[in-house]
Amino acid sequence: MTMTSPATPTQLIDRFGRTVDYLRISITDRCDFRCVYCMAEDMTFLPRSQVLTLEEIHTLAKAFAELGVKKIRVTGGEPLVRKGALELLENIGQIKSLHELVITTNGSQLEAMAADLKKVGVKRINISLDTLDADKFKAITRTGDLQQVLRGIDAVKAVGFEGIKINAVILKGRNDQEVTDLVQYAVDKGIDISFIEEMPLGIVAKHDRSEAYYSSDLIKQDLAQTFSLVASLEKTGGPSNYFKVAGTQTRVGFISPHSENFCSTCNRVRLTVEGRLLLCLGNEHSVDLKAVLRANPGNIDVLKQAIIDAMLIKPEKHEFNIHEQPVILRYMSMTGG
Ligand code: SAM
Ligand code: SF4
Protein backbone atom coordinates (compact mmCIF):
# COMPACT_ATOMS: atom_id res chain seq x y z
CA MET A 1 0.00 0.00 0.00
CA THR A 2 1.39 3.44 -0.89
CA MET A 3 1.13 6.27 1.61
CA THR A 4 0.07 9.67 0.33
CA SER A 5 0.99 12.76 2.30
CA PRO A 6 -1.92 15.08 3.08
CA ALA A 7 -2.36 17.69 0.33
CA THR A 8 -0.88 21.09 1.13
CA PRO A 9 -3.75 23.46 1.92
CA THR A 10 -4.32 26.20 -0.62
CA GLN A 11 -5.65 28.61 1.98
CA LEU A 12 -4.15 30.00 5.16
CA ILE A 13 -6.59 29.85 8.06
CA ASP A 14 -5.73 30.78 11.65
CA ARG A 15 -7.02 29.41 14.98
CA PHE A 16 -9.84 31.94 14.99
CA GLY A 17 -11.13 30.90 11.58
CA ARG A 18 -9.78 33.97 9.81
CA THR A 19 -8.53 33.42 6.25
CA VAL A 20 -5.25 35.18 5.56
CA ASP A 21 -5.12 36.23 1.91
CA TYR A 22 -3.26 39.54 2.16
CA LEU A 23 0.51 39.98 2.65
CA ARG A 24 2.31 43.26 3.23
CA ILE A 25 6.03 43.19 2.51
CA SER A 26 8.50 45.78 3.77
CA ILE A 27 11.22 45.72 1.12
CA THR A 28 13.51 48.18 2.91
CA ASP A 29 13.85 49.78 6.32
CA ARG A 30 15.46 52.83 4.72
CA CYS A 31 13.67 56.03 3.83
CA ASP A 32 14.39 59.51 2.53
CA PHE A 33 11.96 60.95 5.14
CA ARG A 34 12.06 60.71 8.95
CA CYS A 35 8.39 61.17 9.93
CA VAL A 36 8.11 61.96 13.64
CA TYR A 37 5.61 59.19 14.39
CA CYS A 38 7.47 56.55 12.38
CA MET A 39 11.20 56.92 12.98
CA ALA A 40 13.75 58.31 15.36
CA GLU A 41 15.75 61.21 13.89
CA ASP A 42 19.04 59.30 14.03
CA MET A 43 18.00 55.89 12.79
CA THR A 44 20.51 53.06 12.43
CA PHE A 45 19.57 50.99 9.41
CA LEU A 46 20.12 47.27 8.97
CA PRO A 47 23.30 45.88 7.42
CA ARG A 48 22.77 44.34 3.98
CA SER A 49 23.39 40.75 5.16
CA GLN A 50 20.35 40.94 7.43
CA VAL A 51 18.06 42.21 4.70
CA LEU A 52 16.21 39.86 2.34
CA THR A 53 17.56 39.94 -1.21
CA LEU A 54 15.16 40.80 -4.02
CA GLU A 55 15.23 37.14 -5.12
CA GLU A 56 14.36 35.98 -1.61
CA ILE A 57 11.43 38.40 -1.46
CA HIS A 58 10.19 37.09 -4.82
CA THR A 59 10.43 33.47 -3.61
CA LEU A 60 8.53 34.32 -0.45
CA ALA A 61 5.84 36.11 -2.47
CA LYS A 62 5.44 33.01 -4.66
CA ALA A 63 5.16 30.75 -1.59
CA PHE A 64 2.41 32.95 -0.11
CA ALA A 65 0.58 33.10 -3.43
CA GLU A 66 0.62 29.29 -3.64
CA LEU A 67 -1.01 29.32 -0.20
CA GLY A 68 -3.91 31.46 -1.35
CA VAL A 69 -2.62 34.99 -0.82
CA LYS A 70 -4.39 37.14 -3.41
CA LYS A 71 -3.15 40.61 -2.57
CA ILE A 72 0.38 41.82 -1.88
CA ARG A 73 1.24 45.34 -0.74
CA VAL A 74 4.85 46.40 -1.16
CA THR A 75 5.85 48.97 1.44
CA GLY A 76 8.74 49.94 3.70
CA GLY A 77 10.51 52.18 4.78
CA GLU A 78 10.18 53.89 1.46
CA PRO A 79 9.86 51.03 -1.04
CA LEU A 80 10.72 53.13 -4.08
CA VAL A 81 14.19 54.06 -2.77
CA ARG A 82 15.33 50.43 -2.83
CA LYS A 83 17.49 49.70 -5.87
CA GLY A 84 15.71 47.13 -8.05
CA ALA A 85 12.26 47.90 -6.63
CA LEU A 86 10.68 48.11 -10.10
CA GLU A 87 12.14 44.78 -11.18
CA LEU A 88 10.90 43.16 -7.98
CA LEU A 89 7.43 44.63 -8.49
CA GLU A 90 7.40 43.33 -12.04
CA ASN A 91 8.33 39.82 -10.87
CA ILE A 92 5.69 39.81 -8.14
CA GLY A 93 3.14 41.24 -10.59
CA GLN A 94 3.70 38.23 -12.85
CA ILE A 95 2.66 35.70 -10.21
CA LYS A 96 -0.39 34.25 -11.92
CA SER A 97 -2.69 33.58 -8.96
CA LEU A 98 -2.22 37.04 -7.47
CA HIS A 99 -5.21 39.36 -7.98
CA GLU A 100 -3.69 42.58 -6.81
CA LEU A 101 -0.28 44.19 -6.46
CA VAL A 102 -0.40 47.50 -4.60
CA ILE A 103 2.13 49.82 -2.97
CA THR A 104 2.33 52.36 -0.16
CA THR A 105 4.77 55.20 -0.72
CA ASN A 106 5.66 58.62 0.63
CA GLY A 107 5.36 59.95 -2.93
CA SER A 108 8.87 61.38 -3.20
CA GLN A 109 9.81 59.23 -6.22
CA LEU A 110 6.46 59.15 -7.99
CA GLU A 111 7.05 61.97 -10.43
CA ALA A 112 9.78 59.91 -12.10
CA MET A 113 8.36 56.44 -11.49
CA ALA A 114 4.57 56.67 -11.98
CA ALA A 115 4.54 55.42 -15.58
CA ASP A 116 6.89 52.51 -14.83
CA LEU A 117 4.83 51.47 -11.82
CA LYS A 118 1.79 51.17 -14.02
CA LYS A 119 3.81 49.27 -16.64
CA VAL A 120 5.04 46.65 -14.14
CA GLY A 121 1.50 45.90 -12.96
CA VAL A 122 0.90 47.98 -9.83
CA LYS A 123 -2.87 48.41 -9.57
CA ARG A 124 -3.36 50.79 -6.69
CA ILE A 125 -1.18 53.30 -4.87
CA ASN A 126 -1.46 54.69 -1.35
CA ILE A 127 0.45 57.92 -0.81
CA SER A 128 1.14 59.38 2.62
CA LEU A 129 0.29 63.06 2.96
CA ASP A 130 -0.36 64.53 6.40
CA THR A 131 -0.53 68.24 5.56
CA LEU A 132 -0.73 70.68 2.66
CA ASP A 133 1.38 73.27 4.48
CA ALA A 134 5.00 73.13 3.29
CA ASP A 135 6.48 74.13 6.67
CA LYS A 136 4.37 71.65 8.61
CA PHE A 137 5.21 69.00 6.03
CA LYS A 138 8.90 69.62 6.63
CA ALA A 139 8.36 69.55 10.41
CA ILE A 140 6.45 66.24 10.34
CA THR A 141 8.64 64.43 7.80
CA ARG A 142 11.83 66.18 9.02
CA THR A 143 13.35 66.00 5.50
CA GLY A 144 10.47 65.89 2.98
CA ASP A 145 9.53 68.40 0.28
CA LEU A 146 5.77 68.91 -0.06
CA GLN A 147 5.87 70.13 -3.67
CA GLN A 148 7.80 67.05 -4.78
CA VAL A 149 5.09 64.83 -3.28
CA LEU A 150 2.25 66.88 -4.79
CA ARG A 151 3.91 66.61 -8.22
CA GLY A 152 4.16 62.86 -7.63
CA ILE A 153 0.42 62.66 -6.90
CA ASP A 154 -0.32 64.59 -10.10
CA ALA A 155 1.92 62.16 -12.00
CA VAL A 156 0.04 59.08 -10.78
CA LYS A 157 -3.24 60.84 -11.56
CA ALA A 158 -2.05 61.54 -15.10
CA VAL A 159 -0.93 57.95 -15.65
CA GLY A 160 -4.14 56.55 -14.14
CA PHE A 161 -4.39 53.67 -11.64
CA GLU A 162 -7.38 51.62 -10.46
CA GLY A 163 -7.11 53.35 -7.10
CA ILE A 164 -5.19 56.28 -5.64
CA LYS A 165 -5.54 56.99 -1.95
CA ILE A 166 -4.02 59.47 0.46
CA ASN A 167 -3.08 58.19 3.94
CA ALA A 168 -2.95 60.83 6.66
CA VAL A 169 -1.87 60.33 10.27
CA ILE A 170 -3.52 63.09 12.32
CA LEU A 171 -1.69 64.44 15.37
CA LYS A 172 -3.28 66.85 17.84
CA GLY A 173 -1.65 70.27 17.69
CA ARG A 174 0.29 69.45 14.52
CA ASN A 175 -2.12 68.84 11.67
CA ASP A 176 -5.56 68.33 13.23
CA GLN A 177 -6.63 71.70 11.83
CA GLU A 178 -6.11 70.40 8.31
CA VAL A 179 -8.49 67.49 7.99
CA THR A 180 -11.01 69.53 5.99
CA ASP A 181 -8.34 70.85 3.60
CA LEU A 182 -7.00 67.35 3.07
CA VAL A 183 -10.46 65.99 2.21
CA GLN A 184 -11.07 68.96 -0.11
CA TYR A 185 -7.75 68.19 -1.81
CA ALA A 186 -8.82 64.56 -2.30
CA VAL A 187 -12.21 65.68 -3.66
CA ASP A 188 -10.54 68.13 -6.09
CA LYS A 189 -8.21 65.39 -7.35
CA GLY A 190 -10.98 62.76 -7.52
CA ILE A 191 -9.10 60.36 -5.23
CA ASP A 192 -9.74 58.70 -1.83
CA ILE A 193 -8.33 59.48 1.59
CA SER A 194 -7.93 57.54 4.85
CA PHE A 195 -7.22 58.95 8.28
CA ILE A 196 -5.09 56.74 10.54
CA GLU A 197 -4.89 56.92 14.33
CA GLU A 198 -1.25 56.90 15.36
CA MET A 199 -0.02 53.57 16.70
CA PRO A 200 2.59 53.18 19.46
CA LEU A 201 5.35 51.46 17.51
CA GLY A 202 8.91 52.21 18.62
CA ILE A 203 10.08 54.93 21.01
CA VAL A 204 10.42 58.37 19.44
CA ALA A 205 12.15 61.10 21.47
CA LYS A 206 10.38 64.49 21.78
CA HIS A 207 7.07 63.06 20.58
CA ASP A 208 4.39 62.22 23.16
CA ARG A 209 1.90 59.88 21.47
CA SER A 210 -0.65 60.14 24.24
CA GLU A 211 -0.69 63.94 23.88
CA ALA A 212 -0.83 63.75 20.07
CA TYR A 213 -3.76 61.31 20.00
CA TYR A 214 -6.61 62.64 17.85
CA SER A 215 -9.44 60.15 17.47
CA SER A 216 -11.34 59.29 14.30
CA ASP A 217 -14.53 60.53 15.98
CA LEU A 218 -13.02 64.00 16.41
CA ILE A 219 -11.99 64.00 12.75
CA LYS A 220 -15.53 63.01 11.71
CA GLN A 221 -16.95 65.87 13.82
CA ASP A 222 -14.54 68.33 12.18
CA LEU A 223 -15.42 67.10 8.68
CA ALA A 224 -19.17 67.24 9.35
CA GLN A 225 -18.92 71.06 9.48
CA THR A 226 -18.12 71.14 5.75
CA PHE A 227 -18.98 67.79 4.16
CA SER A 228 -21.86 65.41 4.24
CA LEU A 229 -20.35 61.95 4.89
CA VAL A 230 -22.55 59.05 3.93
CA ALA A 231 -21.68 55.75 5.65
CA SER A 232 -20.77 53.06 3.16
CA LEU A 233 -21.11 49.34 3.74
CA GLU A 234 -18.31 48.80 1.27
CA LYS A 235 -15.26 47.04 2.73
CA THR A 236 -11.98 46.74 0.92
CA GLY A 237 -10.84 43.79 3.02
CA GLY A 238 -9.04 46.13 5.39
CA PRO A 239 -9.59 47.86 8.72
CA SER A 240 -10.93 51.07 7.14
CA ASN A 241 -14.52 52.13 7.69
CA TYR A 242 -15.58 54.07 4.62
CA PHE A 243 -17.80 57.07 4.02
CA LYS A 244 -18.64 58.68 0.71
CA VAL A 245 -18.36 62.47 0.48
CA ALA A 246 -21.87 63.27 -0.82
CA GLY A 247 -21.91 64.51 -4.41
CA THR A 248 -18.31 63.45 -5.11
CA GLN A 249 -16.28 60.39 -6.16
CA THR A 250 -14.20 60.55 -2.98
CA ARG A 251 -14.35 58.00 -0.18
CA VAL A 252 -13.06 58.87 3.28
CA GLY A 253 -11.75 55.96 5.36
CA PHE A 254 -10.97 55.80 9.07
CA ILE A 255 -8.43 53.36 10.46
CA SER A 256 -9.05 53.46 14.19
CA PRO A 257 -6.95 50.93 16.08
CA HIS A 258 -7.69 52.66 19.40
CA SER A 259 -11.28 53.78 19.11
CA GLU A 260 -12.67 50.87 17.08
CA ASN A 261 -11.03 47.45 17.20
CA PHE A 262 -10.98 45.71 13.82
CA CYS A 263 -9.04 42.55 14.68
CA SER A 264 -11.93 40.09 14.29
CA THR A 265 -11.85 40.55 10.52
CA CYS A 266 -8.05 40.61 10.16
CA ASN A 267 -6.99 38.97 6.89
CA ARG A 268 -3.33 39.97 6.77
CA VAL A 269 0.20 39.19 7.84
CA ARG A 270 3.40 41.19 7.37
CA LEU A 271 6.87 40.28 6.22
CA THR A 272 9.62 42.49 7.61
CA VAL A 273 12.66 43.37 5.55
CA GLU A 274 14.64 40.96 7.74
CA GLY A 275 12.36 38.12 6.70
CA ARG A 276 10.42 37.94 9.95
CA LEU A 277 6.80 36.98 9.38
CA LEU A 278 4.77 39.15 11.77
CA LEU A 279 1.40 37.68 12.57
CA CYS A 280 0.02 40.92 14.07
CA LEU A 281 1.05 44.58 13.87
CA GLY A 282 0.51 45.04 17.60
CA ASN A 283 2.20 41.88 18.92
CA GLU A 284 5.64 40.32 18.59
CA HIS A 285 4.47 36.82 17.52
CA SER A 286 6.65 36.03 14.54
CA VAL A 287 8.51 33.38 12.58
CA ASP A 288 11.96 33.79 11.03
CA LEU A 289 11.28 32.88 7.39
CA LYS A 290 14.70 34.13 6.29
CA ALA A 291 16.32 31.40 8.40
CA VAL A 292 14.00 28.76 6.86
CA LEU A 293 14.73 30.09 3.36
CA ARG A 294 18.51 30.23 3.80
CA ALA A 295 18.66 26.78 5.46
CA ASN A 296 16.66 25.18 2.62
CA PRO A 297 17.70 26.85 -0.61
CA GLY A 298 15.33 26.11 -3.49
CA ASN A 299 12.88 24.18 -1.27
CA ILE A 300 9.62 26.10 -1.45
CA ASP A 301 7.68 23.27 0.26
CA VAL A 302 9.58 23.69 3.53
CA LEU A 303 8.92 27.42 3.33
CA LYS A 304 5.23 26.86 2.72
CA GLN A 305 4.98 24.49 5.69
CA ALA A 306 6.63 27.09 7.94
CA ILE A 307 4.03 29.64 6.77
CA ILE A 308 1.15 27.21 7.38
CA ASP A 309 2.51 26.43 10.88
CA ALA A 310 2.84 30.17 11.62
CA MET A 311 -0.95 30.55 11.42
CA LEU A 312 -1.15 28.68 14.75
CA ILE A 313 0.43 31.62 16.56
CA LYS A 314 -1.51 34.48 14.96
CA PRO A 315 -2.86 36.37 18.00
CA GLU A 316 -6.52 37.22 18.40
CA LYS A 317 -5.99 40.98 18.65
CA HIS A 318 -3.52 43.82 19.12
CA GLU A 319 -2.85 45.22 22.58
CA PHE A 320 -2.09 48.85 21.71
CA ASN A 321 -2.33 51.37 24.53
CA ILE A 322 -1.52 54.89 23.37
CA HIS A 323 -1.23 56.11 26.98
CA GLU A 324 1.61 53.77 27.95
CA GLN A 325 5.21 53.43 26.81
CA PRO A 326 5.20 51.28 23.65
CA VAL A 327 5.68 47.58 24.30
CA ILE A 328 6.42 47.13 20.61
CA LEU A 329 9.90 48.46 20.07
CA ARG A 330 10.08 48.01 16.31
CA TYR A 331 9.29 51.09 14.24
CA MET A 332 6.57 51.14 11.59
CA SER A 333 9.32 51.47 8.97
CA MET A 334 10.66 48.03 9.99
CA THR A 335 7.24 46.53 10.10
CA GLY A 336 5.71 47.30 6.73
CA GLY A 337 2.90 49.75 7.54
N1 SAM B 1 7.19 55.22 3.32
C1 SAM B 1 5.90 54.84 2.90
C2 SAM B 1 4.85 55.83 3.33
O1 SAM B 1 5.15 56.69 4.16
O2 SAM B 1 3.73 55.72 2.84
C3 SAM B 1 5.50 53.43 3.30
C4 SAM B 1 5.83 52.99 4.68
S1 SAM B 1 4.99 53.86 5.97
C5 SAM B 1 5.64 53.03 7.39
C6 SAM B 1 3.33 53.29 5.78
C7 SAM B 1 2.27 54.07 6.49
O3 SAM B 1 2.44 53.93 7.89
C8 SAM B 1 2.27 55.56 6.21
O4 SAM B 1 0.99 55.96 5.76
C9 SAM B 1 2.58 56.19 7.55
O5 SAM B 1 1.92 57.42 7.70
C10 SAM B 1 2.06 55.15 8.50
N2 SAM B 1 2.68 55.18 9.82
C11 SAM B 1 4.00 55.23 10.14
N3 SAM B 1 4.18 55.20 11.48
C12 SAM B 1 2.95 55.13 12.03
C13 SAM B 1 2.45 55.06 13.35
N4 SAM B 1 3.28 55.05 14.41
N5 SAM B 1 1.11 54.99 13.53
C14 SAM B 1 0.26 54.99 12.47
N6 SAM B 1 0.66 55.04 11.19
C15 SAM B 1 1.99 55.11 10.97
FE1 SF4 C 1 9.50 57.07 5.75
FE2 SF4 C 1 6.97 56.37 5.40
FE3 SF4 C 1 8.09 56.19 7.82
FE4 SF4 C 1 7.60 58.56 6.82
S1 SF4 C 1 6.07 57.03 7.32
S2 SF4 C 1 9.54 57.92 7.79
S3 SF4 C 1 7.93 58.26 4.70
S4 SF4 C 1 8.65 55.04 6.07
Side-chain angles (χ1 to χ4, degrees):
M1 197 174 83
T2 50
M3 294 285 287
T4 49
S5 58
T8 311
T10 50
Q11 265 196 323
L12 292 170
I13 300 179
D14 78 353
R15 288 174 299 151
F16 305 97
R18 298 172 296 194
T19 301
V20 172
D21 57 7
Y22 178 13
L23 172 68
R24 299 167 82 110
I25 310 177
S26 173
I27 67 165
T28 178
D29 60 328
R30 288 163 199 262
C31 186
D32 48 345
F33 292 3
R34 296 282 184 279
C35 301
V36 290
Y37 45 74
C38 178
M39 285 195 187
E41 195 157 15
D42 54 344
M43 287 292 286
T44 310
F45 294 109
L46 292 165
R48 186 180 284 240
S49 60
Q50 277 182 40
V51 168
L52 292 172
T53 65
L54 297 177
E55 292 74 24
E56 287 172 332
I57 297 173
H58 183 209
T59 303
L60 282 156
K62 280 193 290 193
F64 277 95
E66 286 181 22
L67 291 168
V69 163
K70 300 287 179 229
K71 172 173 169 184
I72 292 184
R73 176 174 302 281
V74 168
T75 174
E78 174 45 42
L80 300 182
V81 300
R82 177 149 184 190
K83 215 162 148 231
L86 274 176
E87 191 190 332
L88 173 65
L89 286 163
E90 181 161 32
N91 288 334
I92 296 177
Q94 283 171 0
I95 299 173
K96 287 269 176 315
S97 60
L98 205 64
H99 291 179
E100 237 189 346
L101 171 62
V102 298
I103 65 165
T104 299
T105 171
N106 66 20
S108 69
Q109 313 299 312
L110 286 177
E111 194 178 9
M113 294 177 80
D116 284 335
L117 289 169
K118 171 108 180 186
K119 222 179 284 163
V120 299
V122 173
K123 295 278 185 286
R124 295 192 290 117
I125 302 193
N126 287 357
I127 305 146
S128 300
L129 178 70
D130 300 329
T131 169
L132 293 163
D133 177 301
D135 293 333
K136 280 191 202 161
F137 189 85
K138 181 71 90 192
I140 291 177
T141 61
R142 295 197 184 105
T143 59
D145 173 3
L146 174 68
Q147 289 308 323
Q148 190 181 345
V149 172
L150 296 182
R151 287 198 302 273
I153 295 172
D154 287 339
V156 293
K157 267 283 294 170
V159 169
F161 286 83
E162 283 175 24
I164 306 171
K165 180 160 74 84
I166 302 296
N167 277 342
V169 177
I170 300 302
L171 309 173
K172 185 159 78 192
R174 282 221 186 219
N175 60 348
D176 59 295
Q177 300 289 318
E178 289 198 63
V179 294
T180 303
D181 289 350
L182 284 165
V183 171
Q184 189 59 54
Y185 172 81
V187 167
D188 293 345
K189 297 282 171 193
I191 60 182
D192 294 329
I193 181 164
S194 276
F195 292 104
I196 308 172
E197 289 179 352
E198 185 185 6
M199 292 169 238
L201 296 173
I203 293 172
V204 183
K206 295 189 227 149
H207 175 62
D208 184 332
R209 288 195 162 107
S210 174
E211 236 164 62
Y213 176 57
Y214 201 78
S215 73
S216 295
D217 279 342
L218 286 173
I219 300 173
K220 281 179 207 157
Q221 281 170 28
D222 295 343
L223 293 178
Q225 319 251 340
T226 310
F227 303 103
S228 166
L229 296 184
V230 184
S232 158
L233 291 179
E234 191 180 352
K235 288 296 278 178
T236 55
S240 257
N241 277 328
Y242 279 105
F243 293 76
K244 193 87 186 257
V245 182
T248 77
Q249 289 306 307
T250 295
R251 290 177 311 167
V252 183
F254 295 91
I255 302 176
S256 322
H258 307 294
S259 56
E260 203 168 333
N261 190 285
F262 41 67
C263 298
S264 65
T265 57
C266 182
N267 65 343
R268 65 201 54 201
V269 289
R270 295 172 166 83
L271 184 65
T272 74
V273 68
E274 288 182 282
R276 193 151 72 99
L277 178 64
L278 278 176
L279 284 310
C280 170
L281 185 61
N283 280 285
E284 290 296 8
H285 303 62
S286 68
V287 173
D288 184 355
L289 292 183
K290 182 179 69 194
V292 178
L293 192 62
R294 291 189 180 172
N296 301 277
N299 191 339
I300 200 164
D301 289 334
V302 176
L303 197 54
K304 280 164 67 178
Q305 193 56 53
I307 296 169
I308 293 164
D309 294 345
M311 293 303 121
L312 295 175
I313 58 162
K314 184 167 166 60
E316 188 177 8
K317 55 187 169 62
H318 70 70
E319 308 286 352
F320 286 138
N321 185 339
I322 197 87
H323 304 295
E324 288 175 4
Q325 272 291 329
V327 284
I328 307 290
L329 296 180
R330 74 185 128 75
Y331 293 99
M332 188 68 120
S333 54
M334 308 281 300
T335 305

